[in-house]
């Protein structure tokens, strides 16, 4: 029975993905003249701060960290989630703090009222770290959006990032930005420089996302060497490396 439910869930996510990308929405224009790369982190494990943010800062650039308040300090196999102080230090270093829901529940599994309450709770959590007048950027837990709640997201956030393994170019739906995952195996993660080559050949906005940056990463992260390679390669190829917030400002696509 649970296998059937899992299959239904899988297909419902696939259909939502198609609908969110292709149905009419208020689109933003991603310029195709200049390659832009964003490095983003979901959840966020503490090694994204100690290794990921450190590597970005070493290169004089910043990233976007999508935080789910309920995960604060949680210990899981292979990773520990970031503390409140860790989030504060990210913000102080000029990194962007984004929203990833409070509960880290798949958004299509929450009714609108529960979803609104959850997003409000995380807003409170993030405001206590860094007060923010503008709308934040958001990343969907499990990269799965909700067609029925799309207006909730359009109203609350500047952009919402999913997965999809695509580069954003031209007219895109800000409530369903595409992302490319940096994950295991390590040889695969190292080979993601090919995405940067594609971006340089045909510019747009490449949003990488990952989790932990550790010597023995979980399957959803990579090593510091690989992360360093992707950041330095992006810069060496002439890409602008910007947090999501600054990329939007760069191409005048901030939504008020
Ligand atoms: Zn997540």
């Amino acid at each position: 029975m649970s296998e059937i439910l899992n299959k239904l869930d899988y297909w419902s996510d696939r259909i939502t993905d198609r609908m969110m990308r292709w149905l009419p929405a208020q689109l933003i224009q991603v310029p195709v003249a200049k390659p832009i790369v964003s490095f983003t982190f979901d959840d966020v494990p503490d090694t994204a701060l100690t290794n990921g943010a450190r590597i970005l800062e070493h290169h004089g650039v910043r990233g976007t960290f999508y935080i789910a308040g309920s995960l604060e300090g949680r210990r899981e196999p292979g990773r520990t989630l970031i503390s409140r102080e860790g989030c504060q230090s990210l913000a102080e270093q000029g990194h962007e703090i984004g929203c990833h829901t409070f509960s880290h529940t798949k958004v299509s599994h929450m009714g609108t009222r529960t979803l609104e309450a959850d997003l409000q709770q995380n807003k409170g959590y993030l405001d206590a770290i860094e007060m923010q007048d503008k709308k934040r950027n958001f990343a969907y837990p499990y990269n799965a959006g909700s067609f029925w709640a799309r207006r909730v997201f359009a109203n609350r956030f500047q952009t919402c990032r999913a997965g999809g393994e695509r580069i954003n170019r031209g007219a895109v739906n800000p409530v369903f930005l595409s992302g490319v995952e940096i994950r295991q195996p390590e040889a695969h993660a190292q080979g993601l420089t090919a995405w940067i080559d594609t971006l340089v050949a045909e510019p747009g906005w490449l949003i990488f996302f990952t989790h932990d940056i550790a010597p023995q990463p979980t399957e959803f992260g990579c090593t510091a060497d690989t992360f360093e390679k992707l950041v330095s390669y992006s810069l060496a190829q002439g890409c602008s490396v910007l947090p999501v917030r600054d990329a939007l400002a760069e191409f005048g696509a901030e939504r008020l």
Side-chain angles (χ1 to χ4, degrees):
M1 187 62 187
S2 79
E3 201 177 316
I4 293 169
L5 286 177
N6 282 342
K7 273 198 176 132
L8 277 175
D9 205 36
Y10 171 80
W11 283 108
S12 147
D13 287 347
R14 295 288 300 267
I15 292 163
T16 300
D17 184 290
R18 291 294 176 280
M19 292 201 297
M20 294 294 286
R21 286 180 207 282
W22 302 115
L23 284 183
Q26 258 200 316
L27 304 179
I28 58 169
Q29 287 293 329
V30 173
V32 292
K34 187 175 163 186
I36 296 180
V37 179
S38 294
F39 287 96
T40 73
F41 297 84
D42 290 2
D43 293 357
V44 164
D46 59 1
T47 55
L49 163 66
T50 50
N51 296 326
R54 181 181 50 77
I55 289 167
L56 289 166
E57 288 160 22
H58 176 75
H59 288 280
V61 296
R62 298 295 183 268
T64 299
F65 296 74
Y66 296 106
I67 304 288
S70 73
L71 300 182
E72 180 189 299
R74 185 189 288 188
R75 286 172 188 278
E76 294 178 353
R79 67 178 200 173
T80 299
L81 282 299
I82 197 167
S83 64
R84 187 177 295 240
E85 295 71 33
C87 289
Q88 261 149 3
S89 110
L90 283 172
E92 280 159 17
Q93 291 302 317
H95 295 283
E96 176 184 14
I97 305 294
C99 177
H100 195 44
T101 73
F102 184 80
S103 60
H104 202 267
T105 305
K106 206 175 209 186
V107 299
S108 58
H109 291 183
M110 287 190 266
T112 308
R113 206 172 290 179
T114 312
L115 175 64
E116 289 271 20
D118 176 287
L119 297 176
Q120 193 58 31
Q121 191 174 4
N122 212 46
K123 181 179 176 350
Y125 183 83
L126 299 182
D127 281 348
I129 289 162
E130 182 193 42
M131 205 54 197
Q132 173 77 272
D133 297 332
K134 283 189 196 164
K135 290 175 180 172
R136 288 192 172 85
N137 291 295
F138 176 86
Y140 294 106
Y142 312 102
N143 299 313
S146 162
F147 178 71
W148 304 111
R150 66 196 185 282
R151 284 201 181 81
V152 172
F153 292 99
N155 291 337
R156 270 188 176 268
F157 300 108
Q158 298 254 4
T159 66
C160 303
R161 197 218 71 227
E165 307 292 299
R166 288 182 200 88
I167 291 171
N168 302 281
R169 291 189 186 95
V172 300
N173 184 352
V175 181
F176 214 71
L177 292 177
S178 298
V180 171
E181 185 168 20
I182 304 170
R183 58 170 294 158
Q184 293 300 288
E186 203 61 22
H188 161 79
Q190 292 253 339
L192 294 173
T193 49
W195 278 97
I196 300 161
D197 293 333
T198 303
L199 177 74
V200 170
E202 206 181 327
W205 184 18
L206 169 59
I207 307 175
F208 280 122
F209 69 97
T210 191
H211 296 80
D212 52 317
I213 307 288
Q216 264 123 35
T218 67
E219 64 179 299
F220 306 109
C222 71
T223 64
D225 280 355
T226 295
F227 190 67
E228 158 70 36
K229 179 181 171 184
L230 294 173
V231 175
S232 56
Y233 192 77
S234 301
L235 290 165
Q237 299 305 307
C239 303
S240 294
V241 174
L242 298 169
V244 169
R245 166 196 71 197
D246 298 358
L248 294 171
E250 168 95 0
F251 47 75
E254 280 177 305
R255 300 179 320 127
L256 300 172

